């Protein structure tokens, strides 16, 4: 914690040294990409992409899950996506899954989550019921195939958001599924024309 506090204390000095680039933020934000990924501390979107402040609008959830769109039951995740698309006008949405994902592993392996009921409910509500039967790598430590399928499933859910569907149909929005290896730093991408799997180099 001390290193975090020390950096926070000195950050204003860094901003002052780069005043011009930061001053522009007073006028608002205009990111071109919404980056949806897991809350996992090993996944750092700006580090992976090299994005500077203002370039990525981020949504982080347990298991990089995109909940179904329900206007009668608004949620923070849904609001974030809708705001990014309708207000900020992002041109791309990336759903980035990662290796060694605890959420995907728990679903695929049927782990007992009774001690974390909120996590259990979140996964049961948002992950397809047949996710565990589709995974061929249940014993793999990185769960690569399961995580990649999971990322594709989240894109399918995204396409059902009215705001997303409209902008995709108008050619104003593109959707992407990425897979990040936390132990190598390698990033691969899903190419729909090649089928559901595998993912390939960016």
């Amino acid at each position: 914690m001390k290193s975090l506090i020390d950096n926070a204390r000195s950050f204003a000095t860094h901003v002052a040294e780069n005043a011009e680039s930061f001053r522009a933020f007073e006028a608002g934000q205009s990111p071109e990409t919404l980056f949806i990924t897991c809350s996992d501390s090993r996944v750092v979107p700006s580090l992976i992409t090299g994005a500077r402040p203002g370039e990525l609008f981020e949504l982080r959830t347990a298991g990089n899950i995109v909940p179904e769109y329900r206007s009668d039951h608004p949620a923070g995740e849904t609001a974030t996506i809708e705001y990014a698309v309708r207000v900020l006008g992002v041109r791309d949405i990336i759903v980035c899954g990662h290796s060694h994902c605890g959420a995907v592993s728990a679903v695929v392996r049927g782990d007992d989550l009774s001690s974390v009921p909120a996590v259990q409910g979140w996964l049961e509500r948002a992950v397809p019921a047949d996710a565990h039967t589709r995974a061929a790598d249940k014993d793999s430590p990185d769960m690569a195939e399961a995580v990649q399928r999971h990322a594709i499933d989240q894109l399918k859910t995204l396409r059902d958001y009215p705001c997303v569907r409209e902008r995709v149909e108008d050619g104003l929005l593109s959707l992407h599924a990425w897979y990040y290896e936390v132990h190598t730093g390698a990033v691969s991408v899903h190419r729909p024309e090649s089928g559901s799997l595998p993912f390939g180099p960016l």
Side-chain angles (χ1 to χ4, degrees):
M1 186 68 181
K2 184 180 183 304
S3 64
L4 301 181
I5 293 173
D6 289 344
N7 192 73
R9 284 174 174 161
S10 64
F11 188 65
T13 302
H14 169 72
V15 171
E17 293 170 352
N18 299 272
E20 187 174 339
S21 59
F22 279 88
R23 191 173 296 121
F25 295 152
E26 291 179 335
Q29 60 174 323
S30 56
E32 293 189 358
T33 302
L34 168 61
F35 198 98
I36 301 174
T37 194
C38 187
S39 304
D40 193 298
S41 62
R42 297 167 294 180
V43 182
V44 185
S46 59
L47 186 63
I48 296 168
T49 63
R52 296 177 56 78
E55 294 182 341
L56 287 182
F57 197 65
E58 295 182 24
L59 172 60
R60 304 190 66 149
T61 70
N64 54 268
I65 286 170
V66 176
E68 66 177 353
Y69 183 87
R70 290 184 56 186
S71 59
D72 62 330
H73 188 76
E77 299 84 13
T78 307
T80 298
I81 294 167
E82 194 170 69
Y83 184 83
V85 174
R86 290 212 189 276
V87 179
L88 298 178
V90 296
R91 299 300 304 256
D92 295 276
I93 300 178
I94 297 167
V95 174
C96 183
H98 68 92
S99 67
H100 306 83
C101 180
V104 173
S105 296
V107 172
V108 170
R109 294 172 179 162
D111 292 348
D112 178 9
L113 299 176
S114 57
S115 64
V116 281
V119 174
Q120 183 177 36
W122 170 250
L123 295 177
E124 288 177 349
R125 183 168 66 93
V127 178
D130 65 341
H132 65 287
T133 62
R134 291 183 291 145
D137 58 347
K138 293 183 182 181
D139 298 320
S140 169
D142 61 11
M143 303 294 291
E145 181 180 327
V147 169
Q148 291 171 9
R149 289 187 185 278
H150 176 70
I152 294 170
D153 286 338
Q154 304 319 300
L155 285 191
K156 292 177 182 176
T157 302
L158 260 180
R159 289 191 181 95
D160 287 334
Y161 278 52
C163 58
V164 172
R165 183 173 59 249
E166 291 168 12
R167 289 183 66 86
V168 168
E169 290 175 353
D170 290 341
L172 300 174
L173 180 65
S174 298
L175 307 180
H176 316 271
W178 285 12
Y179 172 70
Y180 172 65
E181 286 188 340
V182 299
H183 54 301
T184 68
V187 179
S188 54
V189 63
H190 173 239
R191 302 191 187 284
E193 64 274 10
S194 65
S196 60
L197 293 175
F199 280 39
L202 279 173

